[in-house]
Amino acid sequence: MNLPDIARLRSVSTRSISPENFDGAKAGGGRATEGTGAACAADLGPGWKISPSVDVAGLSTFEMASIDEPGRITHIWLTTHRDNWRTLVLRAYWDGSDEPAIEVPLGDFFCNGWGTFAQVSSHMIAANPNGGFNSYWPMPFREGARLTIENLVDRVATVYYQVTYETGPTVAEEAAGSGYLHAQYRRSNPLPDKETHPLLTAVEGRGQYVGTYMTWGVNSPGWWGEGEIKFYLDGDAEEGFPTICGTGTEDYFGGAWNFDVPGQGYTAYHTPYLGMPQVLRPDGLYRSQQRFGLYRWHVVDPIHFERDLTVDIQALGWKSAHRYRPLHDDISSVALFYLDRPAAARPAFPHVDDLEVAGEPMDPLT
């Protein structure tokens, strides 16, 4: 959004859903008389931070937001303990659909998939010390929206959140001509021999691909990012060859030459639209492998498709005689795209055991 857009007067109302105003009602905030902060506010009374968060029971689903009119979510802020980043699942349902358009582990949606904090300073996602997660992906809907958080493990998760959205005649008109935001999660751990990691498979409809977040755990010595990303558009998959073909993993994420700054080795970076904000090095104990977090937002360069879209990426290193070596790495991805319909074909969501981060037990004793 540029300055003229900000200054332009629109027929819009701003609302916000949080534990202090569960339905976003006008003048509905700060009215709680019970909540996670009630004991702290015992000397102050109503209006003094009585309900700043929610406790999501183990093995349950909490409805974070429910909106029953046309609108557009403009910002989500959320925080919870890092132990919950892979065991809480964020889902979004548009216009009464029974199937979620967004279905992603919480940390991965906010570019923190390894359960260890990474500062992310980008246009669409900001992750700030120490686990303040922000999304600026526009999420328009024509009739209503529902956001949920599922707790996959048998322990309580305390979550603080705020969902800001717009509503009103202008927003309704804009939403009518907009696609729905989708986000799909996949993990290959390990990637099978001579196979590619799928980011999207046979998504049907008209839309545009707008973003990729990946975690990459390296399971062998040497360089790991020689593989190409491929976008199969509008029947390409039937031909077996893509219209858009990258030149290497580090190239796709805007880097070059192994992300290696001489004297520093792998070097983390984050920019408005692409970055590698996380480089996790072996610690000599349980964290035995190098691990990376990377993002690329196709905001100014969206990839348009009219009929269908499939996306995959190779995992390649090197072997003798300067030959490519297929790798068997631990790769996960979040693929973001706008589509002309509120639901799309998506993979079965992984079992909680298959979300575990190596060296980080899902249910720690401490």
Side-chain angles (χ1 to χ4, degrees):
M1 179 179 288
N2 57 36
L3 184 57
D5 291 329
I6 295 173
R8 182 167 53 93
L9 297 179
R10 301 158 64 223
S11 214
V12 168
S13 297
T14 300
R15 297 290 182 261
S16 180
I17 293 173
S18 75
E20 288 283 14
N21 189 351
F22 282 116
D23 61 5
K26 187 177 182 305
R31 293 175 176 267
T33 57
E34 57 184 31
T36 57
C40 303
D43 296 335
L44 299 173
W48 289 94
K49 200 172 180 177
I50 287 175
S51 181
S53 60
V54 295
D55 289 334
V56 182
L59 306 176
S60 72
T61 297
F62 171 74
E63 187 170 87
M64 186 167 66
S66 181
I67 305 167
D68 60 1
E69 59 184 332
R72 180 178 66 182
I73 294 171
T74 55
H75 178 234
I76 298 174
W77 169 85
L78 184 148
T79 192
T80 186
H81 192 275
R82 69 181 185 88
D83 288 349
N84 305 322
W85 293 357
R86 268 274 171 94
T87 59
L88 295 179
V89 183
L90 175 66
R91 293 186 176 92
Y93 303 79
W94 310 127
D95 290 355
S97 173
D98 293 330
E99 300 296 326
I102 296 172
E103 187 176 48
V104 179
L106 196 65
D108 294 80
F109 186 81
F110 293 100
C111 298
N112 271 259
W114 286 121
T116 299
F117 174 72
Q119 173 76 49
V120 179
S121 302
S122 80
H123 192 147
M124 311 314 296
I125 295 291
N128 303 317
N130 184 23
F133 293 158
N134 298 267
S135 166
Y136 289 96
W137 287 107
M139 303 180 188
F141 44 91
R142 303 171 191 179
E143 299 173 11
R146 189 164 66 93
L147 273 61
T148 68
I149 293 177
E150 182 183 5
N151 188 351
L152 299 178
V153 295
D154 193 10
R155 66 166 181 263
V156 173
T158 300
V159 181
Y160 299 77
Y161 68 90
Q162 192 151 15
V163 178
T164 303
Y165 66 99
E166 297 177 340
T167 187
T170 299
V171 177
E173 292 174 7
E174 294 167 349
S178 300
Y180 300 91
L181 182 66
H182 292 247
Q184 294 188 5
Y185 174 83
R186 286 170 170 82
R187 188 178 192 182
S188 302
N189 182 30
L191 184 66
D193 189 46
K194 297 181 181 177
E195 291 189 14
T196 59
H197 172 76
L199 283 81
L200 288 181
T201 301
V203 167
E204 296 183 349
R206 179 184 177 209
Q208 52 200 48
Y209 188 92
V210 295
T212 305
Y213 168 71
M214 299 191 76
T215 67
W216 200 297
V218 180
N219 286 333
S220 59
W223 170 235
W224 49 273
E226 208 60 41
E228 298 175 338
I229 192 168
K230 293 179 168 64
F231 293 84
Y232 299 83
L233 313 174
D234 303 331
D236 285 349
E238 299 166 11
E239 300 292 330
F241 294 96
T243 293
I244 298 175
C245 184
T247 58
T249 303
E250 84 270 44
D251 309 337
Y252 173 67
F253 290 102
W257 302 112
N258 305 359
F259 303 116
D260 173 19
V261 174
Q264 299 181 38
Y266 289 115
T267 302
Y269 65 99
H270 37 97
T271 75
Y273 300 115
L274 37 76
M276 183 175 70
Q278 192 154 50
V279 178
L280 295 173
R281 295 176 169 85
D283 66 358
L285 189 60
Y286 297 123
R287 294 184 177 181
S288 59
Q289 310 302 116
Q290 295 186 109
R291 292 176 291 169
F292 305 87
L294 312 101
Y295 67 88
R296 175 163 176 177
W297 309 141
H298 295 269
V299 173
V300 294
D301 61 340
I303 296 174
H304 299 271
F305 55 97
E306 291 293 326
R307 195 181 91 193
D308 60 77
L309 177 64
T310 292
V311 186
D312 67 5
I313 192 168
Q314 303 164 340
L316 292 175
W318 292 105
K319 59 183 177 181
S320 63
H322 203 62
R323 293 174 296 159
Y324 295 130
R325 181 171 113 189
L327 301 177
H328 311 125
D329 288 345
D330 175 2
I331 303 170
S332 71
S333 61
V334 178
L336 297 113
F337 57 100
Y338 287 94
L339 195 65
D340 61 359
R341 57 204 69 182
R346 72 186 196 283
F349 195 77
H351 186 273
V352 64
D353 291 345
D354 296 322
L355 296 170
E356 186 169 1
V357 176
E360 301 287 348
M362 295 298 277
D363 194 12
L365 299 177
T366 59

